[in-house]
PDB file of all heavy atoms in Angstrom:
ATOM      1  N   SER A 494      -2.284 -71.965 -86.178  1.00 94.00           N
ATOM      2  CA  SER A 494      -2.265 -70.656 -86.834  1.00 94.00           C
ATOM      3  C   SER A 494      -1.209 -70.703 -87.927  1.00 94.00           C
ATOM      4  O   SER A 494      -0.348 -71.571 -87.925  1.00 94.00           O
ATOM      5  CB  SER A 494      -1.892 -69.559 -85.846  1.00 94.00           C
ATOM      6  OG  SER A 494      -2.636 -69.672 -84.674  1.00 94.00           O
ATOM      7  N   ASP A 495      -1.270 -69.770 -88.864  1.00 93.00           N
ATOM      8  CA  ASP A 495      -0.325 -69.760 -89.980  1.00 93.00           C
ATOM      9  C   ASP A 495      -0.284 -71.155 -90.612  1.00 93.00           C
ATOM     10  O   ASP A 495       0.765 -71.757 -90.813  1.00 93.00           O
ATOM     11  CB  ASP A 495       1.076 -69.345 -89.472  1.00 93.00           C
ATOM     12  CG  ASP A 495       2.044 -69.078 -90.622  1.00 93.00           C
ATOM     13  OD1 ASP A 495       1.592 -69.041 -91.787  1.00 93.00           O
ATOM     14  OD2 ASP A 495       3.241 -68.936 -90.352  1.00 93.00           O
ATOM     15  N   ALA A 496      -1.482 -71.653 -90.917  1.00 96.00           N
ATOM     16  CA  ALA A 496      -1.625 -73.064 -91.296  1.00 96.00           C
ATOM     17  C   ALA A 496      -0.892 -73.412 -92.588  1.00 96.00           C
ATOM     18  O   ALA A 496      -0.415 -74.535 -92.740  1.00 96.00           O
ATOM     19  CB  ALA A 496      -3.100 -73.416 -91.411  1.00 96.00           C
ATOM     20  N   HIS A 497      -0.783 -72.467 -93.519  1.00 96.00           N
ATOM     21  CA  HIS A 497      -0.121 -72.826 -94.782  1.00 96.00           C
ATOM     22  C   HIS A 497       1.343 -73.195 -94.555  1.00 96.00           C
ATOM     23  O   HIS A 497       1.846 -74.148 -95.144  1.00 96.00           O
ATOM     24  CB  HIS A 497      -0.244 -71.691 -95.795  1.00 96.00           C
ATOM     25  CG  HIS A 497      -1.620 -71.622 -96.411  1.00 96.00           C
ATOM     26  ND1 HIS A 497      -1.911 -70.896 -97.526  1.00 96.00           N
ATOM     27  CD2 HIS A 497      -2.791 -72.206 -96.044  1.00 96.00           C
ATOM     28  CE1 HIS A 497      -3.196 -71.032 -97.834  1.00 96.00           C
ATOM     29  NE2 HIS A 497      -3.746 -71.810 -96.929  1.00 96.00           N
ATOM     30  N   THR A 498       2.003 -72.470 -93.678  1.00 95.00           N
ATOM     31  CA  THR A 498       3.398 -72.795 -93.352  1.00 95.00           C
ATOM     32  C   THR A 498       3.464 -74.200 -92.748  1.00 95.00           C
ATOM     33  O   THR A 498       4.341 -74.999 -93.093  1.00 95.00           O
ATOM     34  CB  THR A 498       3.963 -71.768 -92.347  1.00 95.00           C
ATOM     35  OG1 THR A 498       3.746 -70.471 -92.889  1.00 95.00           O
ATOM     36  CG2 THR A 498       5.439 -71.975 -92.098  1.00 95.00           C
ATOM     37  N   TYR A 499       2.527 -74.475 -91.872  1.00 95.00           N
ATOM     38  CA  TYR A 499       2.494 -75.788 -91.208  1.00 95.00           C
ATOM     39  C   TYR A 499       2.201 -76.902 -92.220  1.00 95.00           C
ATOM     40  O   TYR A 499       2.843 -77.965 -92.200  1.00 95.00           O
ATOM     41  CB  TYR A 499       1.444 -75.762 -90.092  1.00 95.00           C
ATOM     42  CG  TYR A 499       1.355 -77.042 -89.289  1.00 95.00           C
ATOM     43  CD1 TYR A 499       2.460 -77.540 -88.601  1.00 95.00           C
ATOM     44  CD2 TYR A 499       0.155 -77.753 -89.219  1.00 95.00           C
ATOM     45  CE1 TYR A 499       2.372 -78.706 -87.868  1.00 95.00           C
ATOM     46  CE2 TYR A 499       0.059 -78.916 -88.478  1.00 95.00           C
ATOM     47  CZ  TYR A 499       1.169 -79.403 -87.806  1.00 95.00           C
ATOM     48  OH  TYR A 499       1.076 -80.557 -87.080  1.00 95.00           O
ATOM     49  N   VAL A 500       1.241 -76.663 -93.119  1.00 96.00           N
ATOM     50  CA  VAL A 500       0.882 -77.683 -94.111  1.00 96.00           C
ATOM     51  C   VAL A 500       2.047 -77.907 -95.090  1.00 96.00           C
ATOM     52  O   VAL A 500       2.319 -79.052 -95.478  1.00 96.00           O
ATOM     53  CB  VAL A 500      -0.433 -77.297 -94.840  1.00 96.00           C
ATOM     54  CG1 VAL A 500      -0.724 -78.236 -96.000  1.00 96.00           C
ATOM     55  CG2 VAL A 500      -1.602 -77.320 -93.857  1.00 96.00           C
ATOM     56  N   GLN A 501       2.762 -76.841 -95.426  1.00 96.00           N
ATOM     57  CA  GLN A 501       3.961 -76.998 -96.269  1.00 96.00           C
ATOM     58  C   GLN A 501       4.978 -77.888 -95.556  1.00 96.00           C
ATOM     59  O   GLN A 501       5.630 -78.726 -96.181  1.00 96.00           O
ATOM     60  CB  GLN A 501       4.617 -75.631 -96.542  1.00 96.00           C
ATOM     61  CG  GLN A 501       3.868 -74.741 -97.512  1.00 96.00           C
ATOM     62  CD  GLN A 501       4.001 -75.176 -98.971  1.00 96.00           C
ATOM     63  OE1 GLN A 501       4.575 -76.222 -99.266  1.00 96.00           O
ATOM     64  NE2 GLN A 501       3.449 -74.381 -99.873  1.00 96.00           N
ATOM     65  N   HIS A 502       5.093 -77.687 -94.246  1.00 95.00           N
ATOM     66  CA  HIS A 502       6.009 -78.500 -93.439  1.00 95.00           C
ATOM     67  C   HIS A 502       5.572 -79.980 -93.461  1.00 95.00           C
ATOM     68  O   HIS A 502       6.402 -80.885 -93.601  1.00 95.00           O
ATOM     69  CB  HIS A 502       6.061 -77.932 -92.013  1.00 95.00           C
ATOM     70  CG  HIS A 502       6.459 -78.894 -90.951  1.00 95.00           C
ATOM     71  ND1 HIS A 502       7.775 -79.220 -90.701  1.00 95.00           N
ATOM     72  CD2 HIS A 502       5.710 -79.625 -90.081  1.00 95.00           C
ATOM     73  CE1 HIS A 502       7.817 -80.117 -89.724  1.00 95.00           C
ATOM     74  NE2 HIS A 502       6.587 -80.373 -89.327  1.00 95.00           N
ATOM     75  N   LEU A 503       4.262 -80.225 -93.354  1.00 94.00           N
ATOM     76  CA  LEU A 503       3.757 -81.607 -93.415  1.00 94.00           C
ATOM     77  C   LEU A 503       4.071 -82.237 -94.777  1.00 94.00           C
ATOM     78  O   LEU A 503       4.459 -83.399 -94.865  1.00 94.00           O
ATOM     79  CB  LEU A 503       2.242 -81.636 -93.189  1.00 94.00           C
ATOM     80  CG  LEU A 503       1.733 -81.200 -91.817  1.00 94.00           C
ATOM     81  CD1 LEU A 503       0.205 -81.212 -91.791  1.00 94.00           C
ATOM     82  CD2 LEU A 503       2.272 -82.106 -90.707  1.00 94.00           C
ATOM     83  N   LYS A 504       3.901 -81.445 -95.815  1.00 95.00           N
ATOM     84  CA  LYS A 504       4.171 -81.934 -97.173  1.00 95.00           C
ATOM     85  C   LYS A 504       5.655 -82.294 -97.319  1.00 95.00           C
ATOM     86  O   LYS A 504       5.997 -83.367 -97.823  1.00 95.00           O
ATOM     87  CB  LYS A 504       3.774 -80.836 -98.161  1.00 95.00           C
ATOM     88  CG  LYS A 504       3.997 -81.169 -99.610  1.00 95.00           C
ATOM     89  CD  LYS A 504       3.588 -79.982-100.479  1.00 95.00           C
ATOM     90  CE  LYS A 504       4.221 -80.080-101.852  1.00 95.00           C
ATOM     91  NZ  LYS A 504       3.896 -78.902-102.677  1.00 95.00           N
ATOM     92  N   ARG A 505       6.532 -81.404 -96.827  1.00 96.00           N
ATOM     93  CA  ARG A 505       7.970 -81.659 -96.897  1.00 96.00           C
ATOM     94  C   ARG A 505       8.341 -82.927 -96.131  1.00 96.00           C
ATOM     95  O   ARG A 505       9.156 -83.718 -96.570  1.00 96.00           O
ATOM     96  CB  ARG A 505       8.747 -80.474 -96.306  1.00 96.00           C
ATOM     97  CG  ARG A 505       9.248 -79.487 -97.341  1.00 96.00           C
ATOM     98  CD  ARG A 505      10.354 -78.599 -96.774  1.00 96.00           C
ATOM     99  NE  ARG A 505      10.064 -78.067 -95.451  1.00 96.00           N
ATOM    100  CZ  ARG A 505       9.302 -76.990 -95.226  1.00 96.00           C
ATOM    101  NH1 ARG A 505       8.763 -76.338 -96.235  1.00 96.00           N
ATOM    102  NH2 ARG A 505       9.085 -76.562 -93.997  1.00 96.00           N
ATOM    103  N   HIS A 506       7.703 -83.099 -94.959  1.00 94.00           N
ATOM    104  CA  HIS A 506       7.959 -84.284 -94.137  1.00 94.00           C
ATOM    105  C   HIS A 506       7.668 -85.562 -94.933  1.00 94.00           C
ATOM    106  O   HIS A 506       8.461 -86.513 -94.921  1.00 94.00           O
ATOM    107  CB  HIS A 506       7.092 -84.212 -92.875  1.00 94.00           C
ATOM    108  CG  HIS A 506       7.021 -85.484 -92.104  1.00 94.00           C
ATOM    109  ND1 HIS A 506       8.013 -85.884 -91.239  1.00 94.00           N
ATOM    110  CD2 HIS A 506       6.080 -86.467 -92.090  1.00 94.00           C
ATOM    111  CE1 HIS A 506       7.685 -87.056 -90.721  1.00 94.00           C
ATOM    112  NE2 HIS A 506       6.523 -87.428 -91.209  1.00 94.00           N
ATOM    113  N   ARG A 507       6.535 -85.583 -95.650  1.00 95.00           N
ATOM    114  CA  ARG A 507       6.188 -86.779 -96.446  1.00 95.00           C
ATOM    115  C   ARG A 507       7.164 -86.977 -97.595  1.00 95.00           C
ATOM    116  O   ARG A 507       7.536 -88.113 -97.913  1.00 95.00           O
ATOM    117  CB  ARG A 507       4.767 -86.655 -97.009  1.00 95.00           C
ATOM    118  CG  ARG A 507       3.688 -86.540 -95.965  1.00 95.00           C
ATOM    119  CD  ARG A 507       3.499 -87.835 -95.180  1.00 95.00           C
ATOM    120  NE  ARG A 507       2.516 -87.610 -94.110  1.00 95.00           N
ATOM    121  CZ  ARG A 507       1.994 -88.559 -93.347  1.00 95.00           C
ATOM    122  NH1 ARG A 507       2.356 -89.815 -93.508  1.00 95.00           N
ATOM    123  NH2 ARG A 507       1.124 -88.270 -92.410  1.00 95.00           N
ATOM    124  N   LEU A 508       7.552 -85.881 -98.236  1.00 96.00           N
ATOM    125  CA  LEU A 508       8.468 -86.000 -99.374  1.00 96.00           C
ATOM    126  C   LEU A 508       9.840 -86.479 -98.904  1.00 96.00           C
ATOM    127  O   LEU A 508      10.511 -87.257 -99.593  1.00 96.00           O
ATOM    128  CB  LEU A 508       8.569 -84.668-100.122  1.00 96.00           C
ATOM    129  CG  LEU A 508       7.280 -84.238-100.849  1.00 96.00           C
ATOM    130  CD1 LEU A 508       7.434 -82.861-101.467  1.00 96.00           C
ATOM    131  CD2 LEU A 508       6.873 -85.263-101.923  1.00 96.00           C
ATOM    132  N   GLN A 509      10.245 -86.042 -97.687  1.00 96.00           N
ATOM    133  CA  GLN A 509      11.528 -86.511 -97.131  1.00 96.00           C
ATOM    134  C   GLN A 509      11.456 -88.002 -96.831  1.00 96.00           C
ATOM    135  O   GLN A 509      12.399 -88.749 -97.082  1.00 96.00           O
ATOM    136  CB  GLN A 509      11.867 -85.740 -95.856  1.00 96.00           C
ATOM    137  CG  GLN A 509      12.565 -84.422 -96.149  1.00 96.00           C
ATOM    138  CD  GLN A 509      12.522 -83.471 -94.951  1.00 96.00           C
ATOM    139  OE1 GLN A 509      12.090 -83.853 -93.864  1.00 96.00           O
ATOM    140  NE2 GLN A 509      12.955 -82.236 -95.168  1.00 96.00           N
ATOM    141  N   ARG A 510      10.319 -88.440 -96.261  1.00 96.00           N
ATOM    142  CA  ARG A 510      10.138 -89.862 -95.955  1.00 96.00           C
ATOM    143  C   ARG A 510      10.202 -90.679 -97.246  1.00 96.00           C
ATOM    144  O   ARG A 510      10.846 -91.724 -97.300  1.00 96.00           O
ATOM    145  CB  ARG A 510       8.788 -90.053 -95.241  1.00 96.00           C
ATOM    146  CG  ARG A 510       8.555 -91.424 -94.730  1.00 96.00           C
ATOM    147  CD  ARG A 510       9.488 -91.813 -93.586  1.00 96.00           C
ATOM    148  NE  ARG A 510       9.077 -91.293 -92.302  1.00 96.00           N
ATOM    149  CZ  ARG A 510       9.879 -91.194 -91.231  1.00 96.00           C
ATOM    150  NH1 ARG A 510      11.140 -91.570 -91.312  1.00 96.00           N
ATOM    151  NH2 ARG A 510       9.432 -90.708 -90.100  1.00 96.00           N
ATOM    152  N   GLU A 511       9.542 -90.159 -98.266  1.00 97.00           N
ATOM    153  CA  GLU A 511       9.547 -90.837 -99.565  1.00 97.00           C
ATOM    154  C   GLU A 511      10.981 -90.948-100.102  1.00 97.00           C
ATOM    155  O   GLU A 511      11.398 -92.003-100.577  1.00 97.00           O
ATOM    156  CB  GLU A 511       8.665 -90.052-100.546  1.00 97.00           C
ATOM    157  CG  GLU A 511       8.630 -90.652-101.935  1.00 97.00           C
ATOM    158  CD  GLU A 511       7.807 -89.803-102.898  1.00 97.00           C
ATOM    159  OE1 GLU A 511       6.579 -89.728-102.716  1.00 97.00           O
ATOM    160  OE2 GLU A 511       8.402 -89.205-103.820  1.00 97.00           O
ATOM    161  N   ALA A 512      11.737 -89.864 -99.979  1.00 97.00           N
ATOM    162  CA  ALA A 512      13.125 -89.866-100.467  1.00 97.00           C
ATOM    163  C   ALA A 512      13.959 -90.876 -99.681  1.00 97.00           C
ATOM    164  O   ALA A 512      14.805 -91.579-100.253  1.00 97.00           O
ATOM    165  CB  ALA A 512      13.718 -88.468-100.346  1.00 97.00           C
ATOM    166  N   SER A 513      13.722 -90.982 -98.353  1.00 97.00           N
ATOM    167  CA  SER A 513      14.477 -91.955 -97.538  1.00 97.00           C
ATOM    168  C   SER A 513      14.166 -93.375 -97.976  1.00 97.00           C
ATOM    169  O   SER A 513      15.057 -94.233 -98.022  1.00 97.00           O
ATOM    170  CB  SER A 513      14.123 -91.827 -96.058  1.00 97.00           C
ATOM    171  OG  SER A 513      14.218 -90.509 -95.640  1.00 97.00           O
ATOM    172  N   ILE A 514      12.890 -93.642 -98.282  1.00 97.00           N
ATOM    173  CA  ILE A 514      12.514 -94.993 -98.728  1.00 97.00           C
ATOM    174  C   ILE A 514      13.175 -95.290-100.070  1.00 97.00           C
ATOM    175  O   ILE A 514      13.764 -96.364-100.260  1.00 97.00           O
ATOM    176  CB  ILE A 514      10.977 -95.134 -98.811  1.00 97.00           C
ATOM    177  CG1 ILE A 514      10.381 -95.080 -97.398  1.00 97.00           C
ATOM    178  CG2 ILE A 514      10.576 -96.431 -99.511  1.00 97.00           C
ATOM    179  CD1 ILE A 514       8.868 -95.006 -97.351  1.00 97.00           C
ATOM    180  N   LEU A 515      13.145 -94.332-100.972  1.00 97.00           N
ATOM    181  CA  LEU A 515      13.763 -94.543-102.292  1.00 97.00           C
ATOM    182  C   LEU A 515      15.272 -94.763-102.171  1.00 97.00           C
ATOM    183  O   LEU A 515      15.841 -95.579-102.904  1.00 97.00           O
ATOM    184  CB  LEU A 515      13.467 -93.348-103.203  1.00 97.00           C
ATOM    185  CG  LEU A 515      12.058 -93.337-103.819  1.00 97.00           C
ATOM    186  CD1 LEU A 515      11.798 -92.020-104.542  1.00 97.00           C
ATOM    187  CD2 LEU A 515      11.870 -94.516-104.776  1.00 97.00           C
ATOM    188  N   ALA A 516      15.905 -94.062-101.204  1.00 97.00           N
ATOM    189  CA  ALA A 516      17.351 -94.234-101.011  1.00 97.00           C
ATOM    190  C   ALA A 516      17.666 -95.655-100.548  1.00 97.00           C
ATOM    191  O   ALA A 516      18.656 -96.261-100.979  1.00 97.00           O
ATOM    192  CB  ALA A 516      17.861 -93.209 -99.995  1.00 97.00           C
ATOM    193  N   LEU A 517      16.793 -96.217 -99.670  1.00 97.00           N
ATOM    194  CA  LEU A 517      16.998 -97.611 -99.238  1.00 97.00           C
ATOM    195  C   LEU A 517      16.845 -98.558-100.424  1.00 97.00           C
ATOM    196  O   LEU A 517      17.634 -99.498-100.593  1.00 97.00           O
ATOM    197  CB  LEU A 517      15.985 -97.982 -98.151  1.00 97.00           C
ATOM    198  CG  LEU A 517      16.109 -97.297 -96.794  1.00 97.00           C
ATOM    199  CD1 LEU A 517      15.034 -97.826 -95.859  1.00 97.00           C
ATOM    200  CD2 LEU A 517      17.490 -97.533 -96.183  1.00 97.00           C
ATOM    201  N   MET A 518      15.817 -98.311-101.237  1.00 95.00           N
ATOM    202  CA  MET A 518      15.520 -99.182-102.380  1.00 95.00           C
ATOM    203  C   MET A 518      16.706 -99.280-103.342  1.00 95.00           C
ATOM    204  O   MET A 518      16.872-100.279-104.039  1.00 95.00           O
ATOM    205  CB  MET A 518      14.319 -98.635-103.175  1.00 95.00           C
ATOM    206  CG  MET A 518      13.014 -98.615-102.419  1.00 95.00           C
ATOM    207  SD  MET A 518      12.419-100.251-102.055  1.00 95.00           S
ATOM    208  CE  MET A 518      12.166-100.102-100.295  1.00 95.00           C
ATOM    209  N   ALA A 519      17.496 -98.220-103.377  1.00 93.00           N
ATOM    210  CA  ALA A 519      18.629 -98.202-104.306  1.00 93.00           C
ATOM    211  C   ALA A 519      19.698 -99.213-103.882  1.00 93.00           C
ATOM    212  O   ALA A 519      20.540 -99.617-104.682  1.00 93.00           O
ATOM    213  CB  ALA A 519      19.226 -96.800-104.355  1.00 93.00           C
ATOM    214  N   LYS A 520      19.654 -99.654-102.589  1.00 93.00           N
ATOM    215  CA  LYS A 520      20.702-100.551-102.078  1.00 93.00           C
ATOM    216  C   LYS A 520      20.393-102.022-102.301  1.00 93.00           C
ATOM    217  O   LYS A 520      21.230-102.797-102.710  1.00 93.00           O
ATOM    218  CB  LYS A 520      20.916-100.301-100.586  1.00 93.00           C
ATOM    219  CG  LYS A 520      21.445 -98.904-100.276  1.00 93.00           C
ATOM    220  CD  LYS A 520      21.650 -98.755 -98.771  1.00 93.00           C
ATOM    221  CE  LYS A 520      21.925 -97.310 -98.400  1.00 93.00           C
ATOM    222  NZ  LYS A 520      21.760 -97.096 -96.956  1.00 93.00           N
ATOM    223  N   ARG A 521      19.147-102.414-101.946  1.00 95.00           N
ATOM    224  CA  ARG A 521      18.787-103.842-102.037  1.00 95.00           C
ATOM    225  C   ARG A 521      17.280-103.967-101.901  1.00 95.00           C
ATOM    226  O   ARG A 521      16.574-102.966-101.909  1.00 95.00           O
ATOM    227  CB  ARG A 521      19.495-104.646-100.947  1.00 95.00           C
ATOM    228  CG  ARG A 521      19.161-104.211 -99.518  1.00 95.00           C
ATOM    229  CD  ARG A 521      19.750-105.203 -98.503  1.00 95.00           C
ATOM    230  NE  ARG A 521      19.601-104.765 -97.125  1.00 95.00           N
ATOM    231  CZ  ARG A 521      18.556-105.055 -96.335  1.00 95.00           C
ATOM    232  NH1 ARG A 521      17.526-105.743 -96.800  1.00 95.00           N
ATOM    233  NH2 ARG A 521      18.531-104.643 -95.072  1.00 95.00           N
ATOM    234  N   SER A 522      16.803-105.203-101.747  1.00 96.00           N
ATOM    235  CA  SER A 522      15.382-105.449-101.559  1.00 96.00           C
ATOM    236  C   SER A 522      15.049-105.425-100.055  1.00 96.00           C
ATOM    237  O   SER A 522      15.853-105.873 -99.241  1.00 96.00           O
ATOM    238  CB  SER A 522      15.070-106.813-102.180  1.00 96.00           C
ATOM    239  OG  SER A 522      13.825-107.258-101.769  1.00 96.00           O
ATOM    240  N   TRP A 523      13.893-104.879 -99.690  1.00 97.00           N
ATOM    241  CA  TRP A 523      13.549-104.684 -98.284  1.00 97.00           C
ATOM    242  C   TRP A 523      12.138-105.173 -97.960  1.00 97.00           C
ATOM    243  O   TRP A 523      11.225-105.005 -98.765  1.00 97.00           O
ATOM    244  CB  TRP A 523      13.579-103.189 -97.927  1.00 97.00           C
ATOM    245  CG  TRP A 523      14.902-102.530 -98.069  1.00 97.00           C
ATOM    246  CD1 TRP A 523      15.497-102.157 -99.247  1.00 97.00           C
ATOM    247  CD2 TRP A 523      15.797-102.149 -97.020  1.00 97.00           C
ATOM    248  NE1 TRP A 523      16.707-101.566 -98.983  1.00 97.00           N
ATOM    249  CE2 TRP A 523      16.918-101.548 -97.633  1.00 97.00           C
ATOM    250  CE3 TRP A 523      15.753-102.254 -95.628  1.00 97.00           C
ATOM    251  CZ2 TRP A 523      17.988-101.051 -96.894  1.00 97.00           C
ATOM    252  CZ3 TRP A 523      16.821-101.754 -94.892  1.00 97.00           C
ATOM    253  CH2 TRP A 523      17.931-101.170 -95.529  1.00 97.00           C
ATOM    254  N   SER A 524      11.975-105.718 -96.735  1.00 97.00           N
ATOM    255  CA  SER A 524      10.630-105.971 -96.219  1.00 97.00           C
ATOM    256  C   SER A 524      10.194-104.714 -95.462  1.00 97.00           C
ATOM    257  O   SER A 524      11.036-103.886 -95.095  1.00 97.00           O
ATOM    258  CB  SER A 524      10.628-107.173 -95.268  1.00 97.00           C
ATOM    259  OG  SER A 524      11.292-106.828 -94.059  1.00 97.00           O
ATOM    260  N   ILE A 525       8.882-104.599 -95.202  1.00 96.00           N
ATOM    261  CA  ILE A 525       8.393-103.408 -94.482  1.00 96.00           C
ATOM    262  C   ILE A 525       8.981-103.319 -93.062  1.00 96.00           C
ATOM    263  O   ILE A 525       9.453-102.251 -92.666  1.00 96.00           O
ATOM    264  CB  ILE A 525       6.852-103.354 -94.516  1.00 96.00           C
ATOM    265  CG1 ILE A 525       6.407-103.013 -95.950  1.00 96.00           C
ATOM    266  CG2 ILE A 525       6.308-102.321 -93.529  1.00 96.00           C
ATOM    267  CD1 ILE A 525       4.911-103.027 -96.176  1.00 96.00           C
ATOM    268  N   PRO A 526       9.023-104.431 -92.270  1.00 95.00           N
ATOM    269  CA  PRO A 526       9.642-104.308 -90.932  1.00 95.00           C
ATOM    270  C   PRO A 526      11.092-103.834 -90.983  1.00 95.00           C
ATOM    271  O   PRO A 526      11.536-103.068 -90.123  1.00 95.00           O
ATOM    272  CB  PRO A 526       9.538-105.733 -90.370  1.00 95.00           C
ATOM    273  CG  PRO A 526       8.372-106.327 -91.073  1.00 95.00           C
ATOM    274  CD  PRO A 526       8.380-105.746 -92.466  1.00 95.00           C
ATOM    275  N   GLU A 527      11.832-104.261 -92.013  1.00 97.00           N
ATOM    276  CA  GLU A 527      13.234-103.800 -92.144  1.00 97.00           C
ATOM    277  C   GLU A 527      13.291-102.286 -92.394  1.00 97.00           C
ATOM    278  O   GLU A 527      14.130-101.588 -91.834  1.00 97.00           O
ATOM    279  CB  GLU A 527      13.927-104.523 -93.310  1.00 97.00           C
ATOM    280  CG  GLU A 527      14.268-105.970 -93.010  1.00 97.00           C
ATOM    281  CD  GLU A 527      14.778-106.717 -94.250  1.00 97.00           C
ATOM    282  OE1 GLU A 527      14.489-106.283 -95.391  1.00 97.00           O
ATOM    283  OE2 GLU A 527      15.456-107.731 -94.061  1.00 97.00           O
TER     284      GLU A 527
END
Side-chain angles (χ1 to χ4, degrees):
S494 312
D495 190 9
H497 284 194
T498 307
Y499 183 59
V500 172
Q501 287 285 6
H502 156 81
L503 295 177
K504 180 181 161 183
R505 263 198 314 278
H506 167 80
R507 299 291 175 171
L508 293 175
Q509 275 163 7
R510 187 67 80 198
E511 179 183 292
S513 309
I514 292 172
L515 281 172
L517 292 181
M518 296 293 127
K520 296 181 191 164
R521 60 172 173 90
S522 166
W523 298 76
S524 71
I525 289 175
E527 286 172 338

